[in-house]
Amino acid sequence: MSMSLFSRILLKLLGAAPYTTAVIAAAGSSARMDGQDKLFIKISDIPVLAHTLMVFERCALIDEIIIVTRKESIESVARLCANYHITKATKIMAGGATRLESVMNGVFAVSWKTELVAIHDGARPCIDERIIERTILRARKRQAVAPGIPVSSTIKKVNRNIVTETMDRSDLIEIQTPQVFNADLIKGALTKAKKDAPDITDDCMAAELMGVPVHVTQGSRNNIKLTTGEDVVVAEAIIAQQMLRRIGKE
């Protein structure tokens, strides 16, 4: 259940909601998008990245947004923020050679006031405020939290295209973003990961390397990451439904 706007504002006024900075990872290569930059593909006439940023802009528990993008996209992202009134965006930064380096650039640029860092994939435009809120509120008491959904498909391990094991899917969770961490923890964890495991594929893995338990909150099957053209078609349907629901509440 999502909190009311009044409840979110009250949490802020009472100091119960920690200062939270969202780091939006938007420096990927879009290698499987047939030469298109997936972050600027339009859905309902709005770029994918703008959809993502507008959700974080609306979320009362987010205080600041830092966007990490490719160097050649910085000016385009700045214009996008201006056009779609992303007022919480304080910095737009160039990414690094790897996802880890890009995220580190953003995490180490957060405001000195930041207590929690919410790291989110720019290519997840179907995120909704309820997931962000749940994850942040759990992270007030836990150091590392991520939304996730149960794996619904049968998963098999293979070796040279031969099945070697059928996994017990009752123990398997598909982890999503935003992944929310204590600010000092994630800075230390990413620094360690850069030295010991630079090829990590998500930020929870950095916390795991430190021996920190990662807690899981309820995610959503709608919170998809755009990787191929087929994902864009699915996202169009999800976002159309979300927009209709918002109109119905206004």
Side-chain angles (χ1 to χ4, degrees):
M1 182 179 295
S2 181
M3 297 183 297
S4 69
L5 177 60
F6 174 78
S7 298
R8 294 193 290 266
I9 294 173
L10 186 60
L11 278 172
K12 282 294 182 185
L13 290 175
L14 294 176
Y19 191 99
T20 302
T21 298
V23 172
I24 307 299
S29 64
S30 302
R32 285 174 279 181
M33 279 290 183
D34 298 324
Q36 298 183 84
D37 187 335
K38 60 187 174 184
L39 296 172
F40 291 94
I41 292 174
K42 290 191 175 181
I43 295 177
S44 297
D45 206 34
I46 297 172
V48 164
L49 182 58
H51 280 289
T52 302
L53 292 172
M54 287 191 294
V55 181
F56 283 85
E57 178 74 20
R58 289 194 301 267
C59 183
L61 299 187
I62 294 294
D63 297 284
E64 174 188 36
I65 299 171
I66 292 176
I67 306 158
V68 185
T69 189
R70 291 185 291 178
K71 185 176 180 180
E72 61 269 26
S73 298
I74 289 176
E75 289 186 11
S76 297
V77 172
R79 286 194 297 271
L80 181 148
C81 288
N83 291 340
Y84 293 95
H85 310 291
I86 309 301
T87 62
K88 293 180 183 178
T90 58
K91 295 175 185 174
I92 303 169
M93 311 185 63
T98 64
R99 185 188 187 280
L100 173 60
E101 290 180 4
S102 295
V103 169
M104 285 186 73
N105 288 353
V107 167
F108 278 90
V110 301
S111 165
W112 64 270
K113 295 181 287 187
T114 301
E115 299 171 66
L116 296 177
V117 179
I119 304 170
H120 185 68
D121 299 319
R124 287 187 189 267
C126 303
I127 182 66
D128 67 55
E129 293 168 67
R130 293 170 296 179
I131 296 174
I132 302 171
E133 291 167 1
R134 277 197 297 266
T135 312
I136 289 173
L137 293 174
R138 177 69 67 87
R140 287 187 302 168
K141 298 180 179 179
R142 309 294 183 183
Q143 291 187 304
V145 183
I149 56 174
V151 170
S152 57
S153 300
T154 298
I155 305 297
K156 295 183 183 288
K157 292 180 69 174
V158 299
N159 181 18
R160 297 182 180 179
N161 294 325
I162 297 174
V163 172
T164 59
E165 181 183 355
T166 299
M167 307 296 290
D168 180 0
R169 66 185 181 192
S170 65
D171 295 328
L172 298 177
I173 292 290
E174 179 184 335
I175 292 295
Q176 302 176 334
T177 68
Q179 298 174 2
V180 183
F181 306 91
N182 170 275
D184 291 334
L185 165 70
I186 194 59
K187 289 176 183 178
L190 292 172
T191 300
K192 178 176 174 59
K194 185 176 182 181
K195 177 182 177 183
D196 298 340
D199 296 327
I200 62 171
T201 55
D202 84 336
D203 309 294
C204 288
M205 294 172 69
E208 293 162 27
L209 286 172
M210 298 273 285
V212 175
V214 177
H215 296 258
V216 178
T217 57
Q218 181 185 346
S220 169
R221 298 201 181 277
N222 285 346
N223 187 21
I224 63 172
K225 184 177 181 180
L226 306 190
T227 303
T228 66
E230 288 81 0
D231 298 328
V232 175
V233 175
V234 175
E236 286 176 337
I238 295 170
I239 287 172
Q241 291 178 339
Q242 291 174 334
M243 294 174 75
L244 286 173
R245 283 199 298 270
R246 283 201 300 276
I247 291 170
K249 291 178 180 179
E250 293 176 354

